[in-house]
Amino acid sequence: MTLIRNVRWNKLQDVIPPEIGELKQLAHLYLSFNNFKGEIPKELANLPELRYLHLHENHFTGRIPLELGTLQHLRHLDVGNNRLVGTIRELIRIEGYFPLLCNLYLNNNYLTGGVPAQLANLTNLEIFCYRYLSYNRMTGVIPYNIALIPKLTYSQVMRLVDPFRPWMQGDHVMIMILMTFFDFVAFVLDIQL
């Protein structure tokens, strides 16, 4: 039996209790657009059936729990619009983490660092677009191997590449992507053809 909990837009507040990890059949958890605070409970990693985790638009602080990477069925992780810190590199540093993750939304937090080449190890990732990383404090280069993720849909890659086709030079494409209009954070994508 698939268990779905949708409590979006309910003005819920306070912290999510660690007992949430006892809902073993929970497959979809929608907690977006509330006023939850504190850290995202690592006990969410005790939910073996969890496929969709929506924590968007709350007041979560701290780091995204590394334990979430052990969820074998997690396909969608949205932690955008919170007050989270850390780097993408530390989130995916262990090979085999997030084995089925298709959608990753990290925008509007306080993440630092850059986009690590290890992101390409998320071979089921379907969506990679700058707006899902924007409004953070990230800088650096988007590694070329991100464009080689096998399930990445063509349209998302083209959103990154097409507007800058005139910048092709020889066997390289250098692309600058403005991450936000206000932070002026830019990434450069270097694809060797």
Side-chain angles (χ1 to χ4, degrees):
M1 175 176 77
T2 300
L3 186 59
I4 299 173
R5 287 292 175 248
N6 185 352
V7 291
R8 290 182 281 198
W9 298 98
N10 281 293
K11 298 181 182 178
L12 299 173
Q13 49 192 342
D14 213 352
V15 298
I16 298 176
E19 290 80 11
I20 195 159
E22 296 172 13
L23 301 172
K24 301 297 185 193
Q25 297 302 312
L26 191 62
H28 300 244
L29 183 58
Y30 301 96
L31 298 176
S32 299
F33 303 101
N34 282 294
N35 292 307
F36 287 112
K37 62 184 178 181
E39 295 189 356
I40 297 171
K42 65 182 179 190
E43 288 80 6
L44 289 169
N46 297 337
L47 304 174
E49 301 301 320
L50 193 62
R51 288 171 174 75
Y52 295 89
L53 180 56
H54 293 259
L55 302 175
H56 181 82
E57 195 76 42
N58 279 288
H59 302 286
F60 289 114
T61 57
R63 299 180 185 285
I64 302 166
L66 300 179
E67 293 85 354
L68 294 180
T70 63
L71 291 168
Q72 296 299 302
H73 300 291
L74 189 65
R75 299 179 52 80
H76 184 98
L77 177 60
D78 185 351
V79 294
N81 290 332
N82 282 288
R83 298 174 182 158
L84 300 169
V85 298
T87 67
I88 296 175
R89 180 180 310 280
E90 65 193 19
L91 184 62
I92 61 170
R93 67 179 182 189
I94 299 174
E95 193 168 336
Y97 265 30
F98 298 106
L100 293 181
L101 193 66
C102 299
N103 306 310
L104 178 61
Y105 301 90
L106 302 171
N107 56 295
N108 295 74
N109 281 293
Y110 299 108
L111 301 177
T112 57
V115 177
Q118 294 89 338
L119 191 66
N121 293 338
L122 301 180
T123 57
N124 287 297
L125 199 63
E126 295 173 358
I127 295 177
F128 180 79
C129 186
Y130 68 91
R131 74 175 173 208
Y132 302 132
L133 297 175
S134 65
Y135 294 98
N136 277 292
R137 296 178 177 164
M138 297 168 54
T139 58
V141 173
I142 297 179
Y144 75 92
N145 63 341
I146 299 299
L148 304 176
I149 296 173
K151 294 190 178 181
L152 194 65
T153 60
Y154 182 75
S155 61
Q156 275 75 38
V157 173
M158 293 314 294
R159 271 191 227 154
L160 293 173
V161 176
D162 266 355
F164 303 96
R165 284 255 181 235
W167 289 14
M168 293 183 83
Q169 296 177 352
D171 61 348
H172 285 264
V173 180
M174 296 297 290
I175 300 167
M176 184 173 285
I177 301 168
L178 187 61
M179 295 300 286
T180 72
F181 292 110
F182 303 106
D183 294 337
F184 300 105
V185 176
F187 284 92
V188 176
L189 176 59
D190 181 4
I191 301 176
Q192 188 168 358
L193 302 175

